[in-house]
């Protein structure tokens, strides 16, 4: 009995000694998943964050980096500097044509205004004159078409002294008046040919610059092998600038030409009135001279 009790106690002690180191192992096993889980979470989150930060610059860098700066540089001066030498020559020529147009406008406006004022004043001064000599005294040393007409009439009257044909004297004087009127018309129309030429040819010259610039743009597109707007737009804008400058030069030239055509027509009508006034004064002098001769013959 005692031997069996000893065996049972010995077996219980052995079982306890074997079970003691196993318990800590099982106690540590639940903590392993808790430590491994946080380690795997940063590993999976890091690629997601990295991928999102790389996608944002990629989506915004292409339009902001290529299109916007290119469009910001498209000013008229920069387009002129970047244009081809032929397009630059066209632009410079059209700019000079525009300067010529406005120079003619200012000079012709001053000249025509002064001529109309002098002629209107001369017509008022000789309105009450009874003879050519009185008219010349009223005009004095002032130069105007009317003074030239009176000088021509007096010259013809002196050359025709002793002739009895009044019609012949008037016809020759009228011929001299026509030459003076034509000379005045040519003088006032000086510079109108430039305006007509600029107004007619400036759009076509600008169109030539545009066609040349677009040809160069297409050549550049074929070399770069891209149809991106940032590559195509600058060349086409430079080409269209030539047409814009051509229109800027042509439109004012046409308007100014039509304006001066009307103004010169009004002025030439005033010159025609002055010619009629001079011819009437010559006719009065001729009638007065023949009337005095008739009175002398009647007294004899």
């Amino acid at each position: 009995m005692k031997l069996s009790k000893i065996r049972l106690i010995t077996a219980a002690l052995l079982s306890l000694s074997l079970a003691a180191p196993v318990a800590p192992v099982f106690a540590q096993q639940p903590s392993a998943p808790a430590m491994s889980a946080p380690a795997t979470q940063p590993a999976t989150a890091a690629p997601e964050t990295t991928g999102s930060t790389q996608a944002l610059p990629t989506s915004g860098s292409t339009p902001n980096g290529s299109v916007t700066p290119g469009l910001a540089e498209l000013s008229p001066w920069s387009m002129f500097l970047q244009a081809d030498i032929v397009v630059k020559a066209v632009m410079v020529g059209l700019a000079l044509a525009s300067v010529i147009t406005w120079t003619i406008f200012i000079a012709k406006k001053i000249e025509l205004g002064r001529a109309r004022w002098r002629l209107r004043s001369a017509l008022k001064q000789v309105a009450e004159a009874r003879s050519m000599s009185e008219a010349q005294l009223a005009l004095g040393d002032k130069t105007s078409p009317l003074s030239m007409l009176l000088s021509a009439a007096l010259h013809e009257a002196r050359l025709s002294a002793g002739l009895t044909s009044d019609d012949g004297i008037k016809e020759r004087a009228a011929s001299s008046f026509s030459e003076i009127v034509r000379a005045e018309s040519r003088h006032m129309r000086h510079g109108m040919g430039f305006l007509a030429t600029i107004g007619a040819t400036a759009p076509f010259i600008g169109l030539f610059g545009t066609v040349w610039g677009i040809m160069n743009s297409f050549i550049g597109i074929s070399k770069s092998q891209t149809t991106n707007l940032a590559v195509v737009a600058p060349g086409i804008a430079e080409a269209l600038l030539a047409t814009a400058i051509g229109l800027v030069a042509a439109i004012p030239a046409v308007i100014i030409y039509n304006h001066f055509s009307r103004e010169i027509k009004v002025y030439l009508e005033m010159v025609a009135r002055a010619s009629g006034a001079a011819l009437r004064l010559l006719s009065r002098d001729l009638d007065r001279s023949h009337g005095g001769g008739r009175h002398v013959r009647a007294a004899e």
Side-chain angles (χ1 to χ4, degrees), residues 142-229:
K142 297 178 181 178
T143 57
S144 65
L146 182 56
S147 62
M148 292 188 290
L149 292 169
L150 292 175
S151 299
L154 288 171
H155 181 68
E156 182 60 34
R158 285 194 300 267
L159 293 178
S160 302
L163 300 178
T164 58
S165 177
D166 294 344
D167 293 336
I169 296 174
K170 294 177 183 177
E171 183 179 354
R172 289 187 294 271
S175 177
S176 300
F177 293 170
S178 298
E179 292 178 359
I180 294 172
V181 171
R182 285 195 298 268
E184 191 68 17
S185 176
R186 286 193 302 268
H187 176 70
M188 283 299 166
R189 292 186 181 277
H190 183 69
M192 298 291 289
F194 288 101
L195 295 176
T197 303
I198 292 171
T201 60
F204 297 102
I205 296 174
L207 183 61
F208 167 73
T210 298
V211 172
W212 188 273
I214 290 177
M215 287 170 57
N216 291 333
S217 299
F218 285 151
I219 292 172
I221 292 169
S222 64
K223 289 181 179 179
S224 61
Q225 295 181 356
T226 180
T227 58
N228 189 4
L229 183 62

Side-chain angles (χ1 to χ4, degrees), residues 3-294:
L3 183 60
S4 61
K5 289 180 179 180
I6 293 169
R7 289 179 178 176
L8 290 173
I9 293 169
T10 303
L13 292 173
L14 290 173
S15 62
L16 290 172
S17 63
L18 293 174
V22 175
V25 174
F26 287 105
Q28 293 176 358
Q29 286 180 356
S31 63
M35 296 175 63
S36 62
T40 56
Q41 288 178 359
T44 55
E48 292 178 359
T49 306
T50 305
S52 62
T53 54
Q54 291 177 354
L56 290 174
T58 304
S59 62
S61 61
T62 301
N64 293 331
S66 60
V67 178
T68 305
L71 293 177
E73 295 175 357
L74 291 180
S75 63
W77 180 247
S78 64
M79 287 188 291
F80 171 77
L81 295 177
Q82 296 173 5
D84 184 71
I85 185 64
V86 177
V87 182
K88 283 183 180 179
V90 169
M91 292 181 184
V92 171
L94 292 173
L96 291 176
S98 180
V99 171
I100 292 172
T101 297
W102 290 107
T103 303
I104 293 174
F105 171 75
I106 296 172
K108 188 63 65 177
K109 193 72 174 178
I110 296 173
E111 180 185 11
L112 190 58
R114 293 179 62 183
R116 291 178 61 179
W117 179 80
R118 285 197 302 265
L119 185 56
R120 188 181 296 109
S121 177
L123 287 172
K124 290 180 179 179
Q125 290 174 353
V126 302
E128 301 299 329
R130 297 188 302 172
S131 64
M132 290 186 293
S133 59
E134 289 183 5
Q136 281 192 328
L137 289 174
L139 293 176
D141 297 333
K142 297 178 181 178
T143 57
S144 65
L146 182 56
S147 62
M148 292 188 290
L149 292 169
L150 292 175
S151 299
L154 288 171
H155 181 68
E156 182 60 34
R158 285 194 300 267
L159 293 178
S160 302
L163 300 178
T164 58
S165 177
D166 294 344
D167 293 336
I169 296 174
K170 294 177 183 177
E171 183 179 354
R172 289 187 294 271
S175 177
S176 300
F177 293 170
S178 298
E179 292 178 359
I180 294 172
V181 171
R182 285 195 298 268
E184 191 68 17
S185 176
R186 286 193 302 268
H187 176 70
M188 283 299 166
R189 292 186 181 277
H190 183 69
M192 298 291 289
F194 288 101
L195 295 176
T197 303
I198 292 171
T201 60
F204 297 102
I205 296 174
L207 183 61
F208 167 73
T210 298
V211 172
W212 188 273
I214 290 177
M215 287 170 57
N216 291 333
S217 299
F218 285 151
I219 292 172
I221 292 169
S222 64
K223 289 181 179 179
S224 61
Q225 295 181 356
T226 180
T227 58
N228 189 4
L229 183 62
V231 178
V232 178
I236 297 177
E238 294 166 8
L240 293 176
L241 183 62
T243 299
I245 296 176
L247 294 176
V248 168
I251 293 174
V254 173
I255 295 174
I256 293 171
Y257 178 84
N258 293 331
H259 171 71
F260 281 130
S261 295
R262 294 189 296 269
E263 294 292 324
I264 291 173
K265 184 179 179 181
V266 173
Y267 175 72
L268 292 179
E269 290 177 355
M270 294 177 64
V271 174
R273 287 173 52 195
S275 176
L279 189 60
R280 287 192 296 271
L281 290 172
L282 175 62
S283 178
R284 289 195 192 104
D285 286 351
L286 291 174
D287 291 343
R288 190 176 293 112
S289 63
H290 290 301
R294 283 195 296 269

